[in-house]
Amino acid sequence: MSHPFDTLTPDLVLDAVESLGFLSDARVLALNSYENRVYQVGIEDQQPLIAKFYRPGRWSDAQIHEEHSFTAELADCEVPVVAPIEHDGRSLFEHGGFRFALFPRRGGHAPEPGNLDQLYRLGQLLGRLHKVGATRPFEHRETLAVDNFGHASLNTLLEGNFVPKELLPAFESVARDLLKRVEAIYARTPHQLIRLHGDCHPGNLMHRDEAYHVVDLDDCRMGPAVQDLWMMLAGSREERLGQLAELIDGYNEFHDFDPRELPLIEPLRALRQLHHSAWLARRWDDPAFPRSFPWFGQPRYWGDQILALREQIAALDEQPLKLF
């Protein structure tokens, strides 16, 4: 079966970039991206550009425009973010049936896990981002919630026959138990919904020459501030407590963090686990996914998932991290 991205050839990528007046040097390098297709395109006598081709049918034009507007708003407030390039007052373009955007190339390295000096500076960066994000809501982007990240993800996995039959009862039972506990914690935990990066793993917060910048706001959405913070923490509970203190110290220089949101860390981790499996399932018709994730349909994967969800239930029963 064909997939829409099958027609996205190197020639089409070059034609799309040149349709905006750029002269390419015919060099196209595919970058590591699964949800969309992202390429580095060489430009004559200039720095290469990054061309991002949006997955057909995923976001509406209004949702993509809102992503671009948020990025531009951050840049206007001097938050270091890689914003799309505007041409004739537009940042979203169409060519050959694909919507695409262009970005300047901005290299860098992901932060080192557990580096306290880096965590303080990352906290400053995220505090600046959330100060802007809290000024008004998204109108078209979705909200991170238990229903769409949890229950909808589980339904995708159960209805799509992805879980082996012999493991299905155990998987469904542990997942439903997990979601029941997540819902209970969400219900009793005060939190404010603001505009977020949404997929704030360390690889989307890059640094180079001691300067940090934010990349890839493709998953920006409404949600609690702690969603953009918890993936910065790693290691034992004691290590994470120290890391959290540094992160929040930096964050509070620019935006006040509400520590009442900390009990949401493990529920958010649980939702991300289910959502990731459902994401693989929803993209399985894209040939890039079976090639890159061949273990997804194997019994061992689902056995590991059952164990991981059980461990996550145990994590939900532990005392949440606290600031001292």
Side-chain angles (χ1 to χ4, degrees):
M1 296 178 63
S2 63
H3 187 271
F5 277 137
D6 290 345
T7 63
L8 186 58
T9 63
D11 285 342
L12 193 152
V13 171
L14 292 173
D15 289 344
V17 172
E18 293 189 339
S19 72
L20 300 180
F22 296 98
L23 180 61
S24 78
D25 62 11
R27 291 182 295 173
V28 179
L29 174 64
L31 302 181
N32 187 27
S33 177
Y34 297 105
E35 185 60 25
N36 304 297
R37 294 295 187 266
V38 182
Y39 303 90
Q40 177 177 293
V41 179
I43 304 297
E44 288 285 355
D45 302 321
Q46 297 181 44
Q47 288 293 315
L49 294 176
I50 304 301
K52 172 183 174 181
F53 290 80
Y54 286 88
R55 177 174 291 273
R58 185 188 182 211
W59 299 126
S60 68
D61 285 356
Q63 289 171 319
I64 297 175
H65 284 306
E66 204 159 46
E67 172 206 338
H68 290 189
S69 295
F70 183 39
T71 310
E73 186 180 349
L74 291 169
D76 288 343
C77 294
E78 299 184 343
V79 178
V81 60
V82 181
I85 295 170
E86 290 196 3
H87 180 76
D88 292 337
R90 297 184 298 134
S91 58
L92 180 62
F93 313 101
E94 190 278 334
H95 187 84
F98 291 97
R99 294 170 298 171
F100 72 99
L102 298 180
F103 298 81
R105 184 180 67 171
R106 192 79 58 83
H109 305 280
E112 301 172 14
N115 185 308
L116 298 183
D117 290 336
Q118 290 186 343
L119 283 167
Y120 182 83
R121 297 188 63 181
L122 291 172
Q124 292 178 312
L125 176 57
L126 291 171
R128 295 169 67 188
L129 189 155
H130 286 180
K131 181 178 181 180
V132 177
T135 57
R136 58 188 176 88
F138 283 132
E139 295 181 7
H140 304 286
R141 308 289 294 193
E142 64 183 12
T143 297
L144 194 166
V146 181
D147 281 345
N148 58 358
F149 265 59
H151 291 292
S153 295
L154 179 57
N155 290 340
T156 293
L157 297 171
L158 297 180
E159 295 169 3
N161 297 318
F162 292 99
V163 185
K165 290 183 179 180
E166 66 272 19
L167 297 175
L168 183 59
F171 177 80
E172 182 174 4
S173 175
V174 69
R176 293 200 185 282
D177 189 13
L178 178 70
L179 288 176
K180 184 182 298 185
R181 294 174 187 236
V182 167
E183 284 182 323
I185 297 173
Y186 249 81
R188 66 174 182 257
T189 303
H191 58 280
Q192 179 185 1
L193 301 178
I194 64 172
R195 291 179 295 173
L196 303 171
H197 183 287
D199 188 27
C200 202
H201 58 77
N204 281 333
L205 297 174
M206 309 294 286
H207 72 97
R208 186 173 187 176
D209 300 327
E210 299 304 315
Y212 289 77
H213 58 272
V214 182
V215 301
D216 192 11
L217 273 80
D218 191 68
D219 285 293
C220 62
R221 64 189 71 238
M222 299 293 293
V226 73
Q227 165 63 13
D228 278 353
L229 301 174
W230 70 264
M231 280 182 274
M232 299 296 107
L233 310 177
S236 68
R237 179 181 176 85
E238 290 72 22
E239 290 171 322
R240 285 182 284 129
L241 284 170
Q243 294 164 15
L244 178 66
E246 288 296 317
L247 188 67
I248 299 303
D249 279 351
Y251 185 97
N252 282 336
E253 287 194 14
F254 294 93
H255 190 64
D256 291 334
F257 176 73
D258 185 350
R260 294 180 299 173
E261 290 189 2
L262 290 175
L264 291 180
I265 288 178
E266 295 306 327
L268 288 167
R269 191 191 311 276
L271 293 177
R272 187 174 178 86
Q273 286 176 302
L274 284 172
H275 184 263
H276 183 262
S277 291
W279 173 66
L280 293 174
R282 291 165 182 151
R283 299 293 180 255
W284 207 242
D285 64 335
D286 182 340
F289 278 71
R291 287 197 303 267
S292 301
F293 308 100
W295 35 259
F296 174 67
Q298 302 301 316
R300 180 175 178 179
Y301 171 80
W302 294 103
D304 289 343
Q305 289 303 299
I306 292 169
L307 177 60
L309 295 181
R310 285 174 177 161
E311 291 175 344
Q312 194 56 33
I313 288 176
L316 292 175
D317 291 336
E318 295 177 356
Q319 286 294 316
L321 297 181
K322 294 183 179 180
L323 292 172
F324 296 100

